[in-house]
Amino acid sequence: LVRTLKGHAHRINFIALSTDYLCRTGAFDHTGSLIKKGDEKDVEAGKKAALQRYNEAKKNHGTATPFERLVSCSDDFTLFLWHPTDDKKPVKRMLGHQQPVTHLSFSPDGRYLASASFDKKVKLWCGKTGNFLATLTGHVGHVYQVCWAPDSRLIASASKDSTLKVWEARNPKKPKTTLSGHFDAIYALDWSPNGTLIASGGKDRILKIWAS
């Protein structure tokens, strides 16, 4: 055991790391490109490229806050921002949701954080400080998951109301698009790393692939 983080008053539903996207995509950029050597993909070149991407992102982040930050969400209606490598105490308690918070996701660039809740809302937070930025209103049922486009400009949300909604981070007053087609609650959601497709799955036992 390295460290125990305490603070929530109820069940923890999800945790997210600010570098999730970097770790997930490795040497691939948002276009799906991988460094090649001749006609063959070079594994060592790929590892080097992945490390280079990580270090460049860390440099661009600056030193005001730790590059790797952790956020947790809970049935206690709150989110907690942690700097787990520095301290076992939460940096910020993030308030605003009126029902259990089920899911959260950092934007690929780490600047923003989106959270989903049973209160039918998606909330947008500063990914560095945890400060509240905006409430995304439009769903009429519990929101189960959120995910980001690779360019950090768009957010998708999945809800009990059987719809997906796509929002613009810079203009979150109303959804940019509503995707209908599921016949029941949507529990699972993901955006392809190259940004071209969104996958969703729900209680209707169907997976759908959408062109973004």
Side-chain angles (χ1 to χ4, degrees):
L1 179 66
V2 176
R3 183 158 289 171
T4 298
L5 308 177
K6 294 182 179 181
H8 283 293
H10 211 299
R11 179 179 64 191
I12 296 170
N13 293 317
F14 199 81
I15 56 175
L17 189 65
S18 57
T19 53
D20 276 343
Y21 182 79
L22 274 174
C23 295
R24 175 185 179 185
T25 54
F28 293 88
D29 62 18
H30 67 282
T31 66
S33 297
L34 173 67
I35 290 180
K36 295 183 179 180
K37 184 177 181 181
D39 294 329
E40 298 296 327
K41 294 180 180 178
D42 185 352
V43 175
E44 291 304 317
K47 290 180 181 179
K48 185 177 180 180
L51 182 60
Q52 182 179 341
R53 282 188 70 215
Y54 182 91
N55 288 334
E56 285 180 356
K58 186 175 183 178
K59 181 180 178 180
N60 293 335
H61 173 78
T63 58
T65 58
F67 179 52
E68 292 198 338
R69 304 169 306 284
L70 187 72
V71 175
S72 55
C73 64
S74 169
D75 273 8
D76 65 10
F77 308 175
T78 71
L79 298 89
F80 277 78
L81 173 64
W82 313 82
H83 296 165
T85 57
D86 297 337
D87 198 349
K88 63 182 181 179
K89 295 180 180 179
V91 176
K92 189 175 184 69
R93 185 173 183 232
M94 301 154 67
L95 304 172
H97 281 295
Q98 302 301 312
Q99 289 290 327
V101 188
T102 54
H103 191 250
L104 54 93
S105 179
F106 272 99
S107 61
D109 61 11
R111 294 176 58 196
Y112 302 106
L113 178 80
S115 58
S117 171
F118 279 9
D119 64 9
K120 308 174 187 178
K121 305 292 194 301
V122 174
K123 288 189 181 291
L124 198 61
W125 316 80
C126 175
K128 294 184 178 181
T129 64
N131 291 336
F132 170 75
L133 298 177
T135 298
L136 286 57
T137 305
H139 284 295
V140 295
H142 299 164
V143 184
Y144 291 120
Q145 280 207 352
V146 287
C147 69
W148 288 84
D151 62 6
S152 300
R153 295 179 181 179
L154 300 175
I155 313 156
S157 55
S159 172
K160 185 179 180 180
D161 64 15
S162 77
T163 69
L164 301 174
K165 292 187 184 294
V166 179
W167 318 75
E168 290 182 303
R170 293 187 177 182
N171 185 26
K173 292 183 179 180
K174 60 181 181 179
K176 180 182 179 182
T177 307
T178 297
L179 302 174
S180 302
H182 280 284
F183 300 107
D184 213 323
I186 305 172
Y187 296 132
L189 178 67
D190 203 4
W191 211 309
S192 65
N194 65 4
T196 60
L197 301 171
I198 302 173
S200 61
K203 194 175 180 180
D204 58 7
R205 298 170 292 177
I206 296 172
L207 288 169
K208 289 187 179 289
I209 308 295
W210 314 81
S212 59

